[in-house]
Structures are given as C-alpha cells and as structure tokens.
Amino acid sequence: MNEASLSVTVLPRRFNSGGAGIVAGTLRQRQDWRFNIDNNGGYHVLRKSGRGFARVYKGEHPAIKPNTPNVIAFERQGEEFVFFVNEQEIIRLPTNARRSDPHWVGLTAFGIGTYRFAEMTITQ
C-alpha cells in the first residue's frame, strides 16, 4: 500500500562522485536516507545519522539512463522507504520507525555541479 510518495525528474551534471535525488526520514529518528543518481547511470545511497554521513550503497541499474533526465520516485510502504527510477524499483530501505511515525521527504544533491529538478509531484 502506498502511504505517501514524491516523484521528481532529475538531471545531474556532475562527473566522478556526485548526484541528485530524494531524501527521506522519520520525525522520531535522528537519521535519514538520501537516494541520489549520477549522470553515469549509477546510484548512491547515503545515510545521515546525527551530524555524520556515510555512503552505504553504490551501484548501477539499467533503469537509470546516463546523461538524460530520469524520474526518481519515493514511496513509504509500511516500515520501508522504496526508491524507484523510471518506474522500476531500485532499492528498499528500513525506516527504523513504527508504521505510525510521521515521515518527511525532500530533494538532495551532493558534489559540486549543476542539478536540475523539474516536474515534482508530492502525494500524501
């Protein structure tokens, strides 16, 4: 069941390490997940806990098209955050929160570069 969602078209313009995407967290936890794609067809998942960041996943997926706009979507499904690119599921991450805990979402970018966000839709 889709409890809330955010969808945005992203065009990152950064080489090497950098990307743009969606950040999601729960209000009771002092942590969040940042799902970013780069312009080479890869994705990066960063976890922020307190003041520190750590990259916890890095990979590639055929749904992510290099050097072209991609649609990134987020859904909270129960106790998981689910991230999609171009309507294909990429990764599920635990919220570490109860199903009833409120959550928040936003846009994120890391690395020096130009990041274009367009056509954003939020549903709750």
Side-chain angles (χ1 to χ4, degrees), residues 14-84:
R14 169 74 175 132
F15 294 96
N16 300 321
S17 184
I22 295 175
V23 57
T26 56
L27 295 178
R28 290 182 191 236
Q29 304 293 318
R30 293 184 47 94
Q31 64 186 17
D32 60 53
W33 294 103
R34 293 162 191 254
F35 177 85
N36 295 278
I37 63 170
D38 61 33
N39 58 331
N40 297 322
Y43 70 93
H44 310 263
V45 177
L46 291 88
R47 184 175 185 177
K48 181 179 181 240
S49 184
R51 294 183 182 188
F53 283 94
R55 186 179 348 219
V56 292
Y57 299 102
K58 178 181 178 182
E60 293 183 357
H61 194 282
I64 304 169
K65 305 301 179 203
N67 297 311
T68 190
N70 287 277
V71 177
I72 299 176
F74 157 84
E75 293 180 359
R76 178 170 181 185
Q77 296 178 2
E79 296 176 0
E80 291 182 309
F81 291 155
V82 186
F83 294 91
F84 303 83

Side-chain angles (χ1 to χ4, degrees), residues 7-11 69-71 107 115-121:
S7 173
V8 64
T9 301
V10 176
L11 178 59
N70 287 277
V71 177
L107 304 178
Y115 306 100
R116 187 167 298 165
F117 297 89
E119 303 174 20
M120 183 171 64
T121 304

Side-chain angles (χ1 to χ4, degrees), residues 77-92:
Q77 296 178 2
E79 296 176 0
E80 291 182 309
F81 291 155
V82 186
F83 294 91
F84 303 83
V85 176
N86 299 323
E87 299 183 355
Q88 292 188 37
E89 183 177 315
I90 306 298
I91 194 166
R92 290 177 173 262

